[in-house]
Amino acid sequence: MPKAGIVTVVGKPNVGKSTLLNRIVGEKLSITSPKPQSTRDRVVGIRSTADSQMVILDTPGLLNPSYPLQEAMRSTALRALDEADVIIYVVDATEGTPPPLKEAAGLEKSPRAPIITALNKSDKLSPNRTEGVATADVILVSALTGDGVTDLMARVEKRLPESPFLYPEDEISTQPVRFFVAEMVRETVLEQLHDEVPYSVAVQVEEYREDRSPLYIRAVIYVERDSQKAIIIGSKGAQIRRIGEASRAKIEAFAGSQVYLDLWVKVLANWRKNPGSLSRFGYQLVTGKSK
Ligand code: GDP
Ligand code: MG
């Protein structure tokens, strides 16, 4: 009987969860950034070998929500914990001994799935600090260099339940291409702009036509204020052109074909605080107490 199950990657913002998911799947599925809170939604990657399949959920960082978008991010992470067969708890190895997941995530009780702690960014540690820290459930890895990741996978695989594969073995994600296109535009905004602007950005793909060559994509960058719109467009449209060019290059590499990217900027006042706007962008707000 093969093994298969859901593997949830959790941890604080910026510890390297998305980099680890990309490393495991061998494909850039999840956007990564030196800026915290780049992952908003959960990203599903699939890793299949001859006898096991992991459906891997990357999650937004666990944080104390201070506005509705962050509440949605936190409840996404908590739901993914509930669904997990195995949990990879990612921490930054340079920050010393991590608190238990239950404490770090502010959970009332420990999750039922087994937890493997990945001490990430081991490439930044000097060798004398890596001695003796690894145990059966704690492992040093570097998502950046790939060090320790094969070992981590072997340990996760051991704890997966026996089950037929959940998805076809050649699938690497469950999300539609549109999702990745929107994420690549958002990542480009994160790369090119600073301060508050990236956090106020949501991207929606409004038209996606595969029946044309080049592929036609119309996407809208939503911001919260007119002043942010002006920053994104830039003087004589120079900034939006730069965002468009860099985004298009990423989308073409991902799609493997030429792309015409028609990029727009619109203001949706205070969308991060508005439940209607949040659900429009696919961020699920869960009402009531999280478990
Ligand atoms: P997330 O918020 O937990 O998803 O973190 P990201 O995957 O977006 O990574 C945050 C930052 O840490 C990025 O700048 C990554 O390049 C960096 N990073 C991730 N993994 C490693 C690692 O193993 N070593 C080092 N040196 N940097 C890393
Ligand atoms: Mg992330």
Side-chain angles (χ1 to χ4, degrees):
M1 184 70 154
K3 291 180 146 197
I6 295 178
V7 178
T8 297
V9 181
V10 288
K12 287 199 306 181
N14 236 16
V15 292
K17 298 178 296 298
S18 297
T19 309
L20 183 63
L21 172 80
N22 294 340
R23 168 65 64 183
I24 292 170
V25 182
E27 190 78 43
K28 184 155 177 189
L29 291 182
S30 195
I31 71 172
T32 59
S33 163
K35 299 188 182 81
Q37 300 176 42
S38 51
T39 308
R40 283 185 185 156
D41 217 339
R42 74 175 198 190
V43 177
V44 184
I46 303 172
R47 174 188 182 272
S48 304
T49 63
D51 38 30
S52 79
Q53 183 174 66
M54 298 177 194
V55 178
I56 306 158
L57 309 184
D58 181 18
T59 60
L62 291 160
L63 32 81
N64 295 320
S66 59
Y67 50 89
L69 173 61
Q70 290 185 339
E71 273 170 40
M73 287 160 66
R74 180 173 162 85
S75 60
T76 296
L78 293 177
R79 258 196 325 273
L81 271 180
D82 257 2
E83 289 172 46
D85 292 302
V86 181
I87 294 166
I88 302 178
Y89 173 34
V90 183
V91 297
D92 186 332
T94 63
E95 288 177 359
T97 311
L101 175 60
K102 177 168 174 271
E103 214 172 281
L107 305 175
E108 277 162 25
K109 52 181 200 275
S110 289
R112 70 185 161 78
I115 301 168
I116 298 174
T117 302
L119 300 172
N120 190 35
K121 310 198 183 183
S122 63
D123 53 288
K124 295 212 272 187
L125 291 182
S126 59
N128 64 357
R129 285 187 60 194
T130 60
E131 258 169 49
V133 295
T135 67
D137 298 318
V138 179
I139 171 163
L140 278 160
V141 299
S142 168
L144 201 65
T145 66
D147 238 32
V149 174
T150 309
D151 193 8
L152 173 65
M153 290 298 93
R155 294 189 203 202
V156 172
E157 202 174 283
K158 243 193 219 160
R159 290 167 176 81
L160 283 178
E162 289 193 342
S163 154
F165 281 12
L166 308 168
Y167 292 93
E169 62 186 34
D170 57 356
E171 215 133 289
I172 60 160
S173 180
T174 59
Q175 258 113 331
V177 176
R178 276 167 175 258
F179 171 82
F180 294 109
V181 168
E183 287 289 277
M184 285 182 266
V185 174
R186 197 163 65 79
E187 181 182 61
T188 307
V189 174
L190 274 162
E191 281 162 2
Q192 296 193 6
L193 294 169
H194 306 283
D195 304 322
E196 194 43 25
V197 179
Y199 299 109
S200 294
V201 163
V203 179
Q204 207 164 36
V205 173
E206 301 205 328
E207 202 176 336
Y208 185 92
R209 296 189 155 270
E210 281 180 300
D211 57 348
R212 306 184 184 176
S213 179
L215 203 90
Y216 175 83
I217 300 171
R218 184 160 45 86
V220 180
I221 300 176
Y222 285 95
V223 289
E224 296 189 297
R225 290 193 295 276
D226 286 328
S227 57
Q228 294 167 337
K229 179 175 173 177
I231 292 171
I232 295 214
I233 291 173
S235 162
K236 296 191 183 128
Q239 183 65 58
I240 185 79
R241 261 199 310 280
R242 282 214 305 141
I243 293 170
E245 278 161 23
S247 303
R248 184 169 50 83
K250 292 179 191 183
I251 298 165
E252 287 183 339
F254 188 83
S257 61
Q258 284 199 318
V259 167
Y260 181 87
L261 179 63
D262 195 5
L263 208 51
W264 295 79
V265 187
K266 291 184 186 168
V267 177
L268 195 60
N270 295 320
W271 68 262
R272 281 188 295 176
K273 299 198 176 75
N274 182 322
S277 311
L278 287 172
S279 71
R280 164 178 185 174
F281 294 135
Y283 302 122
Q284 292 168 10
L285 251 190
V286 171
T287 47
K289 269 189 74 180
S290 43
K291 277 181 262 175

